[in-house]
Amino acid sequence: MIPIAHYLILGGLLFAIGAVGVIVSRNLIVMFMSIELMLNAANLAIIAFSRSLNLMDGHVFVFLIMAVAAAEAAVGLAIIIAIFRNRETINADKFNLLRR
Amino acid sequence: MDIRSAAIDLGLISPEIIILASAMVVLLLGTVLKSRGLMAFLSLLGLVVGLVLVLQQWSQPQSGYYGMVLKDNFSVFFSVVFIMTAIITLLMARDYLIAKHIDRHEFYTLLMFSTVGMMLMAGSTDLVVIFLGLEIMSVPLYVMAGMNKIDPKSNESGIKYFMIGAFASSFLVFGIALLYGASGTTDLRRIMADFSFLKMQSELLLYSGALLVMTGFAFKVAAVPFHMWVPDVYEGAPTPVTGFFSVGPKAAGFAALLRICVYGFSGMAELTAVFWLLAVLTMVVGNVLAIFQNNIKRMLAYSSIAHAGYILVALTAGGEGAVSSAVYYLLAYMFFNLGGFTIVTIIDSRTGSNSQIDEIKGLAGRHPYLASLLALFMFALAGFPPTAGFMGKFYIFSEAVRNGFVWLTVIAVMNSLVSVFYYLRVVVAAFFGKPDQEFSPVSFSPALFIALLVTAVGTLALGCFPGYWLELSQMSMFPII
């Protein structure tokens, strides 16, 4: 049996990698993938807790989060396509029309 | 208080069902029928029926779905605020959408989906339902921000809101995961009941989970230092959508935050210091940066940050009185902020408008009544008596002093004074500014007239006759077990 701490360390690392990825990356698709990584780190932590506490509701929660992530992906990619049609770029640094 | 509870009770969520159903009817009918006016009317009908059904639930606390949905006075009060926000946004949006050639039926559908999400957020003590409500609220908002597809500014607003929103939700989910690990439940009431035991057993998990959840919500309510996205998103989005952003999601975020702080984390005295700092930073940064804005939408964006700061003062003070003062302030804020945005929308509907403050010059000469209403809403935002803004601030500050937060109140009052400057700047431009060219007239419709009437009457009623409304906000306090 792998102790719960190992799952948590992995989850925390994935979450940190995702957070750094969002901040460092300039490509919208990579930023979006990093956000998905953060959500999945949370999923991992919930499943690990759910197993170690012998509770089933964590499993259900993970399915809900996955459904939400899918909905977010649909909307996010649609917005990215809309912006690419107008600007022909997905580099976040180029989106500086506002803030002037 | 006796709370009736049933496992599955459709009557309990009938307002949500009605609004969802009319959203779907509008979505489907809109693909077949060409009349957008009919779609707007159907949406309005759905929202009004939902409002009536919500009002029936007042002072009959019920819960259902195994304690996951809670319809106490608190959630009813907030549901009324959300539905009213949606109705006023719908009324003010119609002419703007036609003028900008983005009159699509999806707008009404998304508005109603988002409203349902907010109602779920305010109507639960379970973190899973709060999270789901938050996402049901946010995902339509991302689309609404980017709705003007051919406008690059609207695109940018949508993508920025989406990235920040999704980023914030992942913090929230990770926080919920840690809280779940610490307590074995996602119900805030159960976390609170076992709090002292949990604190002994797994303090680190509990506190880091609480901080991550707080971070997630701080993004949503735009507290400094998690506010950078606000001015950009508010400027780029279509103006009525900006009005909706500045009231609906903010009120929903605070509703969830109030529940979480008062139910779940009331045992964490250390959080008071965090909130103190957040409140001060939010007020100071919001008010100071608002001074330098020339774009009225950006100015109102910073002003909405500052108002979030005043509500955070109430959260810092804690206790029943402070919570009801925050509730009262959010109701008042809905009226005068949406009123202000209605007028900005009317001015923005003219072709070639860029929502600069200079464009308001000469408004009083052309439309004296509109200019007076603008002055009323700006005075309310600045907190002058006898408007709702004054009573709201007075109530929050007096509760903060009563709970011993004197310095915080002093900072808040000073910030309030600073804010007078930039609000008055708009009024001065409207009444005394010399326009470069003739002020091109704006068009009026009955819908806009109703929106202005409701917001103006609300602003004055909450300011002149506060007793009744204060009593309502005190009744909407949830029971602290």
Side-chain angles (χ1 to χ4, degrees), chain B residues 157-242:
Chain B
S157 164
I159 194 73
K160 280 180 180 164
Y161 197 25
F162 169 73
M163 282 297 169
I164 293 290
F167 190 59
S169 331
S170 47
F171 276 93
L172 183 64
V173 175
F174 205 76
I176 295 175
L178 295 186
L179 285 177
Y180 175 67
S183 61
T185 175
T186 49
D187 193 338
L188 289 168
R189 285 174 292 183
R190 279 172 59 196
I191 295 181
M192 180 178 164
D194 304 337
F195 191 81
S196 44
F197 170 69
L198 293 172
K199 192 173 170 181
M200 250 167 17
Q201 196 189 30
S202 44
E203 194 176 7
L204 180 67
L205 276 182
L206 205 60
Y207 274 76
S208 43
L211 275 181
L212 281 169
V213 169
M214 292 295 150
T215 312
F217 278 111
F219 268 113
K220 290 286 171 189
V221 301
V224 176
F226 309 106
H227 70 290
M228 298 80 71
W229 57 279
V230 176
D232 286 6
V233 170
Y234 280 31
E235 186 192 343
T239 314
V241 175
T242 312

Side-chain angles (χ1 to χ4, degrees), chain A residues 51-87:
Chain A
R51 284 285 290 171
S52 80
L53 297 169
N54 266 326
L55 292 167
M56 275 310 283
D57 44 0
H59 293 59
V60 182
F61 189 25
V62 165
F63 275 115
L64 293 175
I65 295 174
M66 280 155 73
V68 162
E72 260 181 2
V75 164
L77 292 176
I79 296 176
I80 292 175
I81 289 173
I83 200 164
F84 182 77
R85 282 203 179 140
N86 275 343
R87 307 281 294 276

Side-chain angles (χ1 to χ4, degrees), chain B residues 291-313:
Chain B
I291 295 173
F292 303 105
Q293 305 305 321
N294 288 321
N295 184 311
I296 191 158
K297 273 157 90 178
R298 281 186 93 84
M299 189 276 271
L300 285 171
Y302 281 110
S303 123
S304 86
I305 295 174
H307 283 275
Y310 302 134
I311 301 166
L312 281 170
V313 170

